Amino acid sequence: MGVFAIALSLGAAACSNSGMPRATDAERLAFYEAHAGEPVRNFRMFGRLNGWTPLGNSAMVVWTRPNEAFLLNFAGPCQDLQFATSITISHFSNTVTARFDTVTPRGPGVSQVARIPCRIDTIRPIDVPALNQSREEIRQANAEARQDAPPAETPPSN
């Protein structure tokens, strides 16, 4: 399946306004994987993250800058990631390294007793311009689909 086909199916699934279901974790992961490069050993992280997106319990995307993101796959399931309101990422000298560093979910929905770190197995850089282009194509396709759709029937008023 090509990047645009994955993106289009993701956009259709994510379009909750039209009554369609939200994209699944697997669909969202496939979308990011389609825009990820080959695995790298590490990445530099200065200061705070710009953002992060959980993709089920096996992967996540971290945004180190507005135009720099990395897909992190975990060595095993990362419990509580979906419920986390924040995360911490271990690092040494501002460098996050695959198979060495971890992500720890935090927040009120996360177990306070056993905060289990999630070992980062692979790190893949995201092609952010291509990702943004795909998102724009999805928005345009969804807008066109809404324009072509017949108007919703309104119930008669009494």
Side-chain angles (χ1 to χ4, degrees), residues 153-158:
E153 292 185 27
T154 55
S157 57
N158 295 356

Side-chain angles (χ1 to χ4, degrees), residues 113-147:
V113 177
R115 287 189 175 149
I116 302 171
C118 309
R119 180 139 337 264
I120 300 168
D121 186 49
T122 59
I123 299 170
R124 296 173 58 195
I126 301 286
D127 182 347
V128 175
L131 180 84
N132 291 338
Q133 178 64 35
S134 292
R135 285 180 174 164
E136 183 56 33
E137 290 169 2
I138 291 168
R139 277 193 278 278
Q140 289 176 359
N142 286 338
E144 290 172 11
R146 282 192 300 273
Q147 288 175 349

Side-chain angles (χ1 to χ4, degrees), residues 17-96:
N17 293 4
S18 63
M20 298 180 81
R22 185 171 165 81
T24 66
D25 289 335
E27 290 167 330
R28 292 173 45 236
L29 177 58
F31 180 72
Y32 283 102
E33 285 177 333
H35 294 90
E38 292 299 313
V40 296
R41 186 175 182 315
N42 55 43
F43 67 90
R44 303 279 290 165
M45 185 175 72
F46 296 100
R48 298 177 61 154
L49 287 177
N50 199 287
W52 57 282
T53 304
L55 301 169
N57 66 1
S58 66
M60 71 182 305
V61 174
V62 293
W63 297 84
T64 54
R65 297 182 205 155
N67 290 314
E68 183 179 73
F70 296 90
L71 175 62
L72 308 180
N73 289 90
F74 301 116
C78 187
Q79 302 302 324
D80 293 332
L81 186 60
Q82 297 287 23
F83 309 108
T85 55
S86 65
I87 59 170
T88 56
I89 300 179
S90 67
H91 57 85
F92 180 73
S93 297
N94 298 321
T95 301
V96 177

